Amino acid sequence: MAEQLILLGNGFDLSVGLRTRYTDFFNFQMKKLGANSAEEELDTSIHSILMTLAQSPTDFKELLCQHDTHHYINKINPWYWLLIIERFMEEGGQTNSSNEWSNIEAVMHRYLQNDLIDKMRSTFSSIKALNQYDSHVIDRMGITSAQNELNQISDTIMLKANGEKVDQPIKQRMAVFLLTYKYQLNHEPDFRNLKQHLTNWLYSSLNELENNFENYLKTILEMSDGATKIPVTKESPQTHISPFVNPTEDLLNILVQSDAESLETPEQYNILNFNFTNLYNQKLWGSYPERATDYQPLDEGPEKSLNVHGFFDPNKQTTHDTSHIIFGIDNKDINPNDTNYVFTKTYRTLYAAADSRQNYMQQGSDVFSNDIKIIKFFGHSLGEADYSYFQQMFDYFDLYNDDSLKLYFYFRVFKGSDGQPIDENVLAQQQVEAVVKLIDRYGDTLDNQDHGKNLLTRLQMMKRIVIKRIDWELQENQTEKTPNEKAAN
């Protein structure tokens, strides 16, 4: 039986050379939509779109047809527009070092929790009033003027042009008006059930985004240099060999063997994977007969594994309304009767498991067991979007009372955007802050408040929690180019 559970986040995929950052995906997708430079050409087009929207709300649809730069608004998925607004309105037009603007799930949560859908519905009512009544009637009826809101947005765009920071409420207003007009381009608003129609539209658009991301994974996993397909057996008619398989096995080998001296069967382990890849699954991806490193491949692979949010399966066909991966928001503090609940990971994973077309659930996916003595974390930000999973896991293992359970949080030194290694102390501090926040938040959920307050101290005093660096550097001959870089060569 497995004695250790290894939890993987996107940092694992990045460590083996996969370009799975949201920024990589976003720029790839924008270029597919016709922008030669997602950083430059889109800025010019977006500025024109938003200024037109701010100055001429009632004539926007007509103006849209007259200007070539406005074709983006109809082509770009509404969820991408939220990312665009976040990036475009960053201070000085520059993204921050953490690329928070591109975190799809964080942006989803922020806008949905700020009543995006309700505000879109209200905006439709305001625009309808502007079109039906003159300003005197509007004032007399007490109807909020959409024009006043747009004037504020116009002023904000000018502030951004001067390098000043834009606050979230203004971003929210801009998103509301932009998505409202985008919806109008292809839909006739039905005011009898408008909120449900808007919810369905955003939900369908989210499915489209997921399909886009799955196809992006297909591009970077299968279409990279050296990738081949070979026939195997009737049960597994086609194994996909990717150049990322070897570094995946090498890094996983390090994680499995680290701090496992006290275990009776350290080679037996389970994986809880928050990524959309599982290159350690040899039935899907095979293994290179010749290895570029001195590491030896793991004999068996994990005893059990679960991709929490689905995974890219090279043997499955993605359709317009069926994806094998999901994006979503955490369900904590969201009432099941709330419209936003359909966007939670809890709802969406449950729906995916019930949908026979998606083949979402994996065999042997019950990765928790009473034999687990060590939980190892690597590459996960420990952020809000996945907190419910951590809470459920800590509850299952009775984190406070099980003195035999240890937590290891690993990090590695990697290079920043300037190509230089980030200071180890900075990375260690970031890891410590994330761990403290996670444990403290979980402590708040314990019935015994005193236990909750001293949980972190208890773990430290009993040497049950460790934060440490592991040594890992991807070799040059294992590094892959992005799809965009390949196209340029």
Side-chain angles (χ1 to χ4, degrees):
M1 295 292 290
E3 293 183 276
Q4 53 180 325
L5 173 64
I6 299 177
L7 188 150
L8 303 177
N10 192 43
F12 181 90
D13 279 357
L14 295 174
S15 297
V16 301
L18 286 166
R19 303 294 184 89
T20 51
R21 289 187 180 91
Y22 289 135
T23 49
D24 297 323
F25 163 63
F26 177 80
N27 289 327
F28 175 77
Q29 196 64 26
M30 290 302 98
K31 289 184 179 181
K32 281 187 63 177
L33 292 172
N36 294 324
S37 170
E39 296 294 328
E40 297 176 4
E41 183 177 335
L42 275 179
D43 270 351
T44 301
S45 300
I46 293 163
H47 188 277
S48 175
I49 289 170
L50 296 179
M51 287 300 293
T52 301
L53 174 60
Q55 294 171 354
S56 309
T58 57
D59 298 327
F60 183 74
K61 188 171 182 179
E62 179 180 347
L63 288 169
L64 179 66
C65 299
Q66 297 175 2
H67 294 76
D68 291 338
T69 56
H70 297 160
H71 74 282
Y72 288 115
I73 196 170
N74 204 19
K75 293 175 65 175
I76 294 178
N77 185 295
W79 296 108
Y80 295 144
W81 273 113
L82 297 185
L83 301 181
I84 289 170
I85 289 173
E86 287 288 313
R87 182 177 68 84
F88 180 73
M89 302 307 286
E90 285 284 353
E91 183 173 4
Q94 301 294 321
T95 59
N96 57 42
S97 59
S98 64
N99 285 318
E100 180 64 21
W101 66 267
S102 66
N103 188 325
I104 295 172
E105 293 177 331
V107 171
M108 281 177 59
H109 183 270
R110 188 155 56 245
Y111 282 87
L112 289 171
Q113 285 294 80
N114 284 324
D115 302 320
L116 173 65
I117 296 173
D118 282 332
K119 289 175 180 177
M120 286 181 65
R121 182 178 61 173
S122 298
T123 299
F124 271 114
S125 299
S126 296
I127 294 172
K128 182 179 180 181
L130 281 176
N131 291 331
Q132 290 183 343
Y133 307 108
D134 60 34
S135 60
H136 297 293
V137 175
I138 290 175
D139 291 339
R140 195 163 59 246
M141 294 175 62
I143 299 174
T144 300
S145 173
Q147 184 65 63
N148 290 338
E149 291 274 333
L150 289 166
N151 288 340
Q152 293 182 40
I153 293 175
S154 178
D155 293 341
T156 300
I157 293 174
M158 299 310 298
L159 290 176
K160 185 269 177 187
N162 294 327
E164 298 185 33
K165 190 173 182 179
V166 178
D167 60 16
Q168 191 61 38
I170 290 295
K171 294 178 185 178
Q172 184 82 13
R173 290 185 193 136
M174 187 176 297
V176 167
F177 277 94
L178 187 60
L179 297 194
T180 298
Y181 276 98
K182 176 173 174 56
Y183 183 84
Q184 271 191 312
L185 293 176
N186 299 301
H187 303 83
E188 189 65 35
D190 180 359
F191 288 91
R192 293 169 299 179
N193 199 16
L194 183 57
K195 184 173 182 177
Q196 187 60 52
H197 289 310
L198 292 172
T199 301
N200 293 344
W201 177 60
L202 289 174
Y203 192 90
S204 175
S205 299
L206 183 57
N207 287 335
E208 179 186 335
L209 183 152
E210 292 161 345
N211 288 330
N212 293 159
F213 195 86
E214 189 166 359
N215 287 325
Y216 174 70
L217 290 178
K218 180 181 178 68
T219 299
I220 63 175
L221 284 169
E222 289 193 294
M223 305 307 174
S224 52
D225 294 341
T228 59
K229 300 178 182 179
I230 60 173
V232 187
T233 65
K234 291 182 179 180
E235 291 73 21
S236 180
Q238 199 172 60
T239 292
H240 301 245
I241 296 184
S242 167
F244 300 103
V245 168
N246 278 1
T248 294
E249 290 185 346
D250 294 342
L251 180 53
L252 189 56
N253 201 347
I254 292 176
L255 292 172
V256 169
Q257 295 181 15
S258 296
D259 303 295
E261 299 83 1
S262 63
L263 302 179
E264 294 182 8
T265 55
E267 71 282 358
Q268 296 181 359
Y269 62 96
N270 294 341
I271 291 180
L272 184 63
N273 194 343
F274 285 82
N275 300 323
F276 302 115
T277 59
N278 55 3
L279 292 172
Y280 45 79
N281 185 333
Q282 295 187 6
K283 290 183 179 180
L284 286 178
W285 296 101
S287 182
Y288 276 149
E290 297 181 2
R291 305 182 63 74
T293 70
D294 294 331
Y295 296 113
Q296 292 303 311
L298 297 166
D299 293 334
E300 300 295 338
E303 295 286 306
K304 299 177 181 178
S305 67
L306 171 64
N307 287 76
V308 180
H309 305 132
F311 65 97
F312 168 66
D313 186 339
N315 294 318
K316 299 295 180 182
Q317 181 67 37
T318 299
T319 63
H320 176 72
D321 61 345
T322 304
S323 174
H324 309 107
I325 64 176
I326 67 163
F327 290 111
I329 61 177
D330 192 73
N331 70 320
K332 187 172 177 60
D333 302 325
I334 299 180
N335 190 301
N337 295 321
D338 191 318
T339 302
N340 291 337
Y341 198 79
V342 298
F343 297 101
T344 65
K345 292 181 178 181
T346 300
Y347 175 91
R348 305 209 66 230
T349 54
L350 187 61
Y351 178 84
D355 188 346
S356 59
R357 298 172 302 169
Q358 294 184 253
N359 191 31
Y360 171 76
M361 296 304 292
Q362 297 153 267
Q363 296 296 320
S365 59
D366 50 334
V367 296
F368 297 165
S369 79
N370 294 328
D371 297 296
I372 298 295
K373 297 296 186 292
I374 295 177
I375 303 177
K376 298 176 178 179
F377 299 75
F378 181 76
H380 199 293
S381 66
L382 310 179
E384 293 286 328
D386 293 320
Y387 174 73
S388 291
Y389 296 102
F390 300 134
Q391 181 179 347
Q392 192 270 337
M393 179 174 66
F394 291 154
D395 284 345
Y396 178 92
F397 289 109
D398 194 8
L399 180 61
Y400 187 91
N401 293 306
D402 187 353
D403 294 338
S404 66
L405 181 69
K406 293 184 179 181
L407 307 180
Y408 286 87
F409 295 87
Y410 298 112
F411 69 94
R412 73 177 183 94
V413 174
F414 56 91
K415 295 178 181 179
S417 57
D418 60 357
Q420 299 300 314
I422 300 176
D423 186 87
E424 180 179 350
N425 292 328
V426 172
L427 294 172
Q429 181 179 355
Q430 292 174 349
Q431 187 71 41
V432 169
E433 291 174 351
V435 170
V436 168
K437 184 177 180 180
L438 172 64
I439 300 300
D440 280 354
R441 182 171 180 187
Y442 176 68
D444 291 338
T445 69
L446 298 183
D447 294 334
N448 188 320
Q449 294 185 0
D450 290 334
H451 284 182
K453 290 178 181 179
N454 72 11
L455 174 59
L456 183 57
T457 302
R458 176 181 174 84
L459 293 173
Q460 287 180 287
M461 294 295 292
M462 301 187 70
K463 301 185 184 304
R464 294 175 51 206
I465 186 168
V466 178
I467 300 173
K468 64 186 296 186
R469 166 185 170 175
I470 63 169
D471 293 323
W472 165 263
E473 184 174 356
L474 189 67
Q475 296 185 9
E476 289 296 326
N477 61 352
Q478 293 174 299
T479 304
E480 276 297 310
K481 299 177 181 178
T482 65
N484 289 332
E485 289 173 334
K486 290 180 181 186
N489 291 337

